[in-house]
């Protein structure tokens, strides 16, 4: 588990090297576009992510955002607390 909530994070580069990372909380940061999240797609163990409160979530409707994130992060089964 890695809780990086409320840290003004705008990119997630470097996190892709955390091979054992399963749960990541990026709540209330500054992730603005899907490309800011793309490096996480290299985390094969990542199954749970929270992006609540990031601009990337607020600029899209929930279903579209969810579909896009699950496409970018195919191993994730729990997104923003929902299966």
């Amino acid at each position: 588990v890695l809780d990086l909530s409320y840290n003004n994070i705008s990119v997630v580069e470097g996190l892709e090297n955390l091979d054992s990372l399963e749960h990541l909380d990026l709540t209330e940061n500054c992730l603005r576009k899907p490309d800011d999240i793309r490096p996480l797609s290299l985390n094969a163990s990542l199954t749970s992510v929270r992006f609540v409160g990031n601009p990337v979530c607020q600029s899209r409707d929930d279903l579209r955002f969810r579909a896009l994130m699950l496409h970018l992060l195919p191993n994730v089964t729990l997104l923003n607390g929902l299966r």
Side-chain angles (χ1 to χ4, degrees):
V1 176
L2 181 58
D3 185 348
L4 296 174
S5 57
Y6 301 92
N7 277 293
N8 293 319
I9 294 170
S10 58
V11 294
V12 294
E13 291 175 1
L15 296 178
E16 67 274 13
N17 299 317
L18 301 176
D19 297 331
S20 299
L21 182 62
E22 294 179 12
H23 307 285
L24 177 61
D25 189 345
L26 288 164
T27 299
E28 295 290 339
N29 278 290
C30 300
L31 299 166
R32 299 192 185 289
K33 53 190 187 286
D35 283 343
D36 295 339
I37 294 163
R38 190 174 305 278
L40 295 177
S41 66
L42 300 174
N43 290 75
S45 298
L46 190 62
T47 59
S48 172
V49 184
R50 294 186 66 84
F51 294 114
V52 175
N54 282 278
V56 70
C57 298
Q58 298 164 352
S59 63
R60 295 170 168 72
D61 66 73
D62 288 340
L63 290 176
R64 185 171 166 221
F65 171 76
R66 184 171 182 77
L68 177 61
M69 290 300 104
L70 293 177
H71 176 75
L72 284 175
L73 308 170
N75 296 324
V76 169
T77 57
L78 190 63
L79 178 63
N80 290 342
L82 301 173
R83 291 208 180 273

